[in-house]
């Protein structure tokens, strides 16, 4: 499952790079939706692995050291996971959108903070916030996917 | 369960820190995920907008010519193109200086230089390669004042029509001492001395290289004061400070052909960021960290991480002098300088739009970009645009 997530993260960021070539700074990054989904439904025990896959995949496409993006993903997933209710997948239809917004905020804040201490390039800006809008079409699909993947049973 | 989670968390955190610190093995392992890029590269790259990068073919040609001219001027008497004669002139960087030991250390192509090879800068003989180290890629130069530098046959002429005065120069404690003069005729003030053609005696040191300025001792003049005394020991004073030189010409082994490791590669179109690219070759193809990436005579950047099958390239200009092609006088004049004012020649200022070239001994010259804004503290380099659709060549620096 982690490998699949890595592949999806790479694909999502590649799509972002293509969109960026057309739209410039207005291009959203769909990785945020993946991260929001993981924050909401990924098993807590292996959440660091999910962060590793998401950050590594994104950094790979953006030609950055993976450490920065993985740390950002870790912070974002941890923040969403602290807010989630493990016993329910139906705590409001727009949970995925709120989670995506939280992920964007946490990812961008962590990226900014890391940028203050290191000279490593870490792309974590407006593309994340724009990407959270892409979560809207998936609000109903996300709980179903989580059940199919075996992350939740209810 | 909690223990497993903490274990994963600790492992991921440790890897992150090592990655951020630039720990090379971790950065190389990160490239394994590049296999995942290939699946969509072909499909998505078709959706990329065409980024037609128009290049002036004359610009890259001028950059190549500028580098060749610079090479020739610094190598001096060692002909850069003379690969089958007495040895080509290699332009190599000075990597360290030891004024206490009268030595310079050069970085040279492996196996290209022999012990005893003469070293010069713009027609001035500096010394000879004294020893080689680190797989023959570091050459220590004994400067002419060094006792290990071999004696050099020299000459000076008091006038164009005068018979030359021949002599030998030997190094001792940093000074160039003149001995065995063929005549007691004293030198003129500021007399220059050159290497002498003694090819018939088996010494193939090129003649006409400047050795230094002749200085004599002094004696008490009648009535007081000091006057030059040609009867006292004669020495040569260097005409340039050898410790202030960044690049020198060194004679290569006879018949040595310049070669370098080159690898062809393609830039990834779906994996890139401003100033950073990915190439589809890695260590299995011979790529190493620090290699230079060039596209049709335009410098792209430097490999910063070499994975097994892909590598990261960062837009970074090679350290050292840049060659500004100054065409203000009608013809191209090559001005080696640095972007900051301290590295500019006196009474010279670059102008916006002038081409900036760099070079590689075996690959030749390439275009770095053009001079941008020129301020009081220096000029800014505007890099030439890179076309992601065109192939690149990776060369060993």
């Amino acid at each position: 499952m982690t490998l699949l997530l890595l592949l999806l993260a790479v694909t999502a960021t590649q799509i972002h790079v293509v969109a960026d070539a057309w739209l410039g700074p207005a291009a959203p990054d769909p990785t945020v939706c993946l991260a929001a989904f993981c924050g909401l439904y990924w098993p807590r025990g292996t959440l660091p692995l999910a962060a590793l896959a998401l950050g590594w995949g994104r950094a790979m496409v953006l030609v950055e050291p993976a450490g920065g993006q993985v740390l950002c993903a870790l912070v974002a997933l941890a923040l969403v996971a602290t807010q989630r209710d493990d016993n329910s997948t139906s705590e409001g239809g727009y949970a995925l959108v709120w989670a995506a917004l939280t992920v964007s905020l946490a990812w961008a804040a962590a990226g900014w903070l890391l940028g203050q201490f290191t000279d490593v390039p870490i792309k974590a800006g407006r593309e994340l916030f724009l990407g959270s809008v892409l979560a809207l079409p998936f609000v109903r699909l996300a709980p179903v996917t989580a059940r199919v993947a075996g992350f939740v049973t209810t | 369960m909690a223990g497993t989670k903490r274990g994963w968390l600790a492992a991921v955190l440790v890897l992150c820190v090592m990655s951020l610190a630039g720990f090379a093995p971790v950065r190389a392992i990160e490239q394994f995920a590049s296999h995942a890029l290939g699946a969509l590269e072909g499909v998505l790259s078709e959706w990329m907008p065409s980024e037609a990068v128009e290049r002036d073919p004359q610009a890259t040609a001028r950059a190549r010519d500028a580098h060749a001219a610079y090479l020739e001027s610094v190598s001096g008497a060692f002909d850069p193109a003379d690969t089958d004669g007495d040895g080509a002139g290699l332009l190599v960087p000075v990597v360290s200086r030891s004024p206490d030991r009268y030595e310079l250390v050069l970085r040279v192509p492996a196996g290209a230089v022999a012990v005893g090879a003469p070293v010069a800068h713009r027609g001035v003989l500096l010394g000879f390669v004294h020893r080689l180290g680190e797989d023959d890629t570091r050459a220590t130069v004994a400067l002419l004042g060094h006792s290990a530098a071999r004696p050099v046959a020299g000459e000076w002429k008091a006038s164009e029509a005068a018979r030359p005065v021949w002599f030998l120069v030997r190094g001792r404690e940093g000074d160039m001492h003149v001995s065995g003069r063929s005549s007691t005729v004293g030198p003129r003030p500021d007399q220059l001395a050159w290497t002498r053609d003694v090819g018939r005696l088996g010494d193939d040191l090129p003649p006409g290289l400047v050795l230094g300025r002749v200085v004599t001792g002094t004696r008490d003049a009648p009535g007081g004061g000091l006057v030059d005394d040609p009867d006292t020991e004669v020495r040569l004073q260097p005409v340039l400070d050898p410790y202030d030189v960044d690049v020198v010409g060194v004679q290569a082994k006879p018949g040595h052909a310049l070669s370098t490791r080159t690898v062809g590669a393609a830039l990834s179109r779906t994996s890139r960021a401003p100033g950073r690219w990915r190439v589809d070759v890695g260590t299995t193809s011979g790529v190493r960290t620090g290699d230079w990436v060039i596209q049709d005579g335009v410098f792209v950047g430097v490999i910063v991480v070499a994975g097994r099958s892909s590598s990261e390239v960062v837009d970074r200009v090679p350290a050292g002098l840049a060659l500004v092609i100054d065409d203000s006088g009608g013809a191209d004049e090559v001005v080696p300088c640095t972007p900051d004012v301290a590295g500019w020649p006196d009474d010279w200022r670059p102008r916006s739009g002038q081409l900036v070239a760099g070079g590689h001994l075996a690959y030749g010259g390439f275009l770095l970009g053009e001079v941008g804004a020129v301020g009081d503290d220096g000029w800014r380099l505007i890099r030439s645009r890179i076309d992601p659709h065109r192939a690149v060549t990776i060369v060993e620096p």
Side-chain angles (χ1 to χ4, degrees):
Chain A
M1 196 58 78
T2 309
L3 283 176
L4 179 64
L5 184 60
L6 173 68
L7 200 62
L8 288 172
V10 167
T11 305
T13 317
Q14 278 181 305
I15 290 170
H16 165 66
V17 168
V18 175
D20 185 73
W22 286 100
L23 304 173
D29 188 346
T31 313
V32 176
C33 302
L34 279 176
F37 175 81
C38 293
L40 284 176
Y41 304 113
W42 195 274
R44 288 180 188 273
T46 53
L47 212 54
L49 279 183
L52 180 70
L54 284 169
W56 189 5
R58 189 163 196 263
M60 171 59 53
V61 178
L62 298 176
V63 201
E64 292 177 4
Q69 294 290 350
V70 172
L71 278 178
C72 291
L74 202 55
V75 170
L77 294 196
L79 192 63
V80 174
T82 54
Q83 304 301 313
R84 83 188 192 192
D85 178 359
D86 283 340
N87 298 318
S88 172
T89 59
S90 54
E91 48 177 309
Y94 290 96
L96 188 74
V97 177
W98 287 115
L101 281 170
T102 309
V103 163
S104 320
L105 197 64
W107 201 306
W112 178 83
L113 205 61
L114 280 173
Q116 304 303 305
F117 296 107
T118 67
D119 55 357
V120 171
I122 299 170
K123 186 178 180 183
R126 76 172 70 176
E127 75 282 355
L128 297 170
F129 294 97
L130 293 168
S132 59
V133 178
L134 298 177
L136 276 169
F138 299 104
V139 288
R140 302 224 177 274
L141 189 63
V144 179
T145 308
R147 265 195 294 276
V148 171
F151 292 157
V152 288
T153 52
T154 56
Chain B
M1 186 68 180
T4 310
K5 185 184 174 186
R6 276 198 293 272
W8 282 122
L9 186 61
V12 169
L13 285 175
V14 167
L15 285 171
C16 285
V17 171
M18 287 199 283
S19 169
L20 285 171
F23 188 51
V26 171
R27 294 287 287 120
I29 288 169
E30 286 174 15
Q31 310 305 314
F32 276 117
S34 66
H35 292 291
L37 293 167
L40 280 182
E41 169 76 16
V43 178
L44 286 179
S45 61
E46 296 297 319
W47 289 82
M48 294 290 272
S50 63
E51 301 167 86
V53 177
E54 289 185 14
R55 287 208 188 120
D56 178 8
Q58 293 294 323
T60 50
R62 286 170 66 195
R64 186 169 280 273
D65 291 346
H67 180 254
Y70 174 65
L71 200 67
E72 195 172 343
S73 68
V74 175
S75 295
F78 317 130
D79 181 0
D82 182 14
T83 52
D84 51 9
D86 292 334
L90 300 179
L91 188 69
V92 295
V94 177
V95 291
S96 75
R97 301 157 179 86
S98 302
D100 296 342
R101 291 154 63 181
Y102 319 115
E103 288 179 347
L104 301 177
V105 179
L106 316 177
R107 184 160 63 83
V108 296
V113 171
V115 171
V119 177
H121 180 82
R122 293 188 181 277
V124 177
L125 183 66
L126 298 179
F128 299 90
V129 173
H130 172 45
R131 61 177 181 274
L132 295 165
E134 281 188 38
D135 302 327
D136 290 354
T137 58
R138 290 285 187 276
T140 303
V141 178
L143 296 171
L144 286 180
H146 195 301
S147 55
R150 68 172 173 87
V152 177
E155 66 180 9
W156 80 67
K157 284 167 83 171
S159 70
E160 201 56 43
R163 191 184 175 88
V165 177
W166 295 341
F167 59 90
L168 275 180
V169 181
R170 295 175 194 276
R172 197 170 65 234
E173 295 176 352
D175 285 331
M176 291 183 276
H177 294 270
V178 169
S179 63
R181 285 159 58 185
S182 63
S183 166
T184 55
V185 173
R188 293 178 306 169
D190 293 333
Q191 174 74 59
L192 283 176
W194 295 270
T195 55
R196 179 184 148 213
D197 186 359
V198 284
R200 281 181 298 178
L201 301 175
D203 187 344
D204 56 2
L205 183 65
L209 293 172
V210 174
L211 286 169
R213 207 174 291 286
V214 184
V215 291
T216 60
T218 54
R219 59 179 164 78
D220 292 331
L226 295 170
V227 293
D228 288 346
D229 183 1
D231 293 332
T232 61
E233 189 178 36
V234 179
R235 290 180 296 111
L236 296 182
Q237 198 174 43
V239 292
L240 61 82
D241 182 357
Y243 308 112
D244 201 27
V245 170
D246 294 318
V247 285
V248 295
V250 59
Q251 194 169 39
K253 285 179 181 172
H256 173 79
L258 281 176
S259 62
T260 188
R261 170 172 46 81
T262 61
V263 180
L267 294 170
S268 170
R269 280 178 255 175
T270 62
S271 173
R272 61 185 174 127
R276 298 194 297 278
W277 294 271
R278 180 174 300 288
V279 287
D280 63 348
V281 290
T283 53
T284 50
S285 304
V287 175
R288 300 282 178 270
T289 301
D291 284 355
W292 293 358
V293 182
I294 300 166
Q295 184 184 63
D296 299 338
V298 175
F299 193 81
V300 177
V302 177
I303 300 276
V304 288
V305 183
R308 273 180 63 79
S309 56
S310 86
S311 306
E312 290 183 13
V313 184
V314 167
D315 179 0
R316 187 182 296 164
V317 174
L321 295 173
L323 306 175
V324 174
I325 303 175
D326 188 344
D327 55 355
S328 55
D332 281 352
E333 185 188 348
V334 183
V335 183
C337 66
T338 56
D340 54 311
V341 177
W344 296 359
D346 293 339
D347 303 327
W348 177 85
R349 271 181 80 84
R351 285 186 302 137
S352 295
Q354 286 176 333
L355 296 178
V356 182
H360 184 279
L361 270 182
Y363 182 88
F366 46 70
L367 190 64
L368 290 173
E370 62 181 51
V371 176
V374 182
D376 291 335
D377 53 345
W379 52 270
R380 200 168 60 84
L381 176 68
I382 299 176
R383 297 279 282 113
S384 301
R385 281 187 66 200
I386 303 305
D387 187 343
H389 299 269
R390 291 193 207 172
V392 294
T393 305
I394 299 170
V395 298
E396 183 183 8

